[in-house]
Amino acid sequence: MKALLLIDIQNDFVPGGALAVPGGDQIIPLANALQPRFELVVATQDWHPRTHKSFAANHPGKHEFETTELHGLEQVLWPVHCVQGTSGAELHPALDTQRIEAIFRKGTDPEIDSYSGLFDNGHRKATGLADYLRGKGVRQVYVAGLAGDYCVYFTAKDALREGFETYLIEDAARPISAEGYEQAKADIERLGGRLVSSAAVLSQQAAT
C-alpha cells in the first residue's frame, strides 16, 4: 500500500501566517488533487505549547532565525507559530480533509523541536506515525507539504530510516530557502529516496 503524507499545511505556514513559507498556499490545490490517488492519506500538524524552547521569544536577548544549541542539538529560533488551540495551528481551510484518515501532532514537548512527522529532532520520542503506517501495510510513502527544506525533508529522511520506500513530490512542497531545498532534495536522493512530480503521480490510476 502507498500513503500520502501531508506535512503541516497550516495557517501559520502560508502567506499571512506567523512563519509564512513563500508560496505555501500554492500547494493546496495540488494536495487536494493528489489525495484520490492514494489508499491512505495522513496529515501532520505542528502543535506547540506557547513555552516551546524553539521560539525566539522564549530566549531573552535572542532574535528570530538566530541559531542556538538546545540539549546538544543546533536549533533555529523561530517566530512563535502553531501554538496549540490557535487559528494559526489549524489546518488551512482550503485543504480537503475528507480523505485524511489520521492527523499526527508534533512539537508538543516544549524542550525539543520536532520537524519530522515521525520523531522529534533528537529521535528521543516517536509520534507513532511509523507504526501506524506499518500497521496499515504501507510500504511506499509520498511526502508533500510545508516547509520543503525542514519538516517535509526531515519526514522523508525518517521515513527512509524506518524502511519505507520514500518519494518527495517536489512541486507539492514549498521551502523557506530555495537553496536549502536543493540541498534537501540531493540528500534525500543520496539516502535512497526518489523525487517525483505531481503530474507523474496524478497520471497514476486513482485509488479505489
Side-chain angles (χ1 to χ4, degrees), residues 69-123:
E69 187 176 289
L70 192 59
H71 302 295
L73 298 172
E74 183 177 87
Q75 176 67 53
V76 177
L77 295 178
W78 302 108
V80 175
H81 66 279
C82 297
V83 172
Q84 298 169 359
T86 65
S87 61
E90 292 175 3
L91 295 176
H92 193 283
L95 180 67
D96 183 0
T97 59
Q98 293 185 72
R99 293 182 65 91
I100 295 174
E101 186 167 310
I103 297 170
F104 285 79
R105 288 174 167 168
K106 60 192 183 67
T108 58
D109 184 339
E111 295 298 321
I112 190 164
D113 217 349
S114 297
Y115 296 151
S116 167
L118 283 72
F119 294 94
D120 64 60
N121 289 0
H123 288 90

Side-chain angles (χ1 to χ4, degrees), residues 3-203:
L4 175 64
L5 308 185
L6 298 176
I7 308 302
D8 299 359
I9 305 178
Q10 295 168 260
N11 290 328
D12 269 347
F13 292 132
V14 302
L19 183 50
V21 177
D25 54 339
Q26 296 170 8
I27 69 164
I28 297 172
L30 276 179
N32 291 340
L34 287 162
Q35 292 184 50
R37 295 296 188 272
F38 291 87
E39 298 158 280
L40 178 66
V41 181
V42 176
T44 68
Q45 193 175 18
D46 245 9
W47 196 250
H48 297 309
R50 195 168 289 278
T51 57
H52 204 278
K53 296 289 180 63
S54 71
F55 295 161
N58 293 325
H59 295 264
K62 295 285 189 178
H63 301 285
E64 294 176 359
F65 304 107
E66 278 188 37
T67 56
T68 189
E69 187 176 289
L70 192 59
H71 302 295
L73 298 172
E74 183 177 87
Q75 176 67 53
V76 177
L77 295 178
W78 302 108
V80 175
H81 66 279
C82 297
V83 172
Q84 298 169 359
T86 65
S87 61
E90 292 175 3
L91 295 176
H92 193 283
L95 180 67
D96 183 0
T97 59
Q98 293 185 72
R99 293 182 65 91
I100 295 174
E101 186 167 310
I103 297 170
F104 285 79
R105 288 174 167 168
K106 60 192 183 67
T108 58
D109 184 339
E111 295 298 321
I112 190 164
D113 217 349
S114 297
Y115 296 151
S116 167
L118 283 72
F119 294 94
D120 64 60
N121 289 0
H123 288 90
R124 299 169 189 175
K125 295 179 183 177
T127 63
L129 175 54
D131 287 340
Y132 176 83
L133 294 171
R134 279 191 281 264
K136 293 285 186 178
V138 171
R139 296 181 180 274
Q140 297 179 334
V141 297
Y142 289 71
V143 189
L146 304 170
D149 48 343
Y150 281 94
C151 296
V152 171
Y153 167 48
F154 277 74
T155 298
K157 281 206 302 181
D158 278 346
L160 286 163
R161 173 178 169 156
E162 289 296 300
F164 295 101
E165 190 177 320
T166 302
Y167 297 81
L168 169 62
I169 308 176
E170 288 185 78
D171 57 324
R174 289 290 186 278
I176 292 174
S177 159
E179 181 182 358
Y181 194 36
E182 291 306 311
Q183 294 172 355
K185 289 189 289 186
D187 197 37
I188 288 168
E189 287 190 302
R190 181 185 63 81
L191 294 169
R194 303 178 192 178
L195 308 181
V196 66
S197 69
S198 59
V201 178
L202 290 169
S203 67

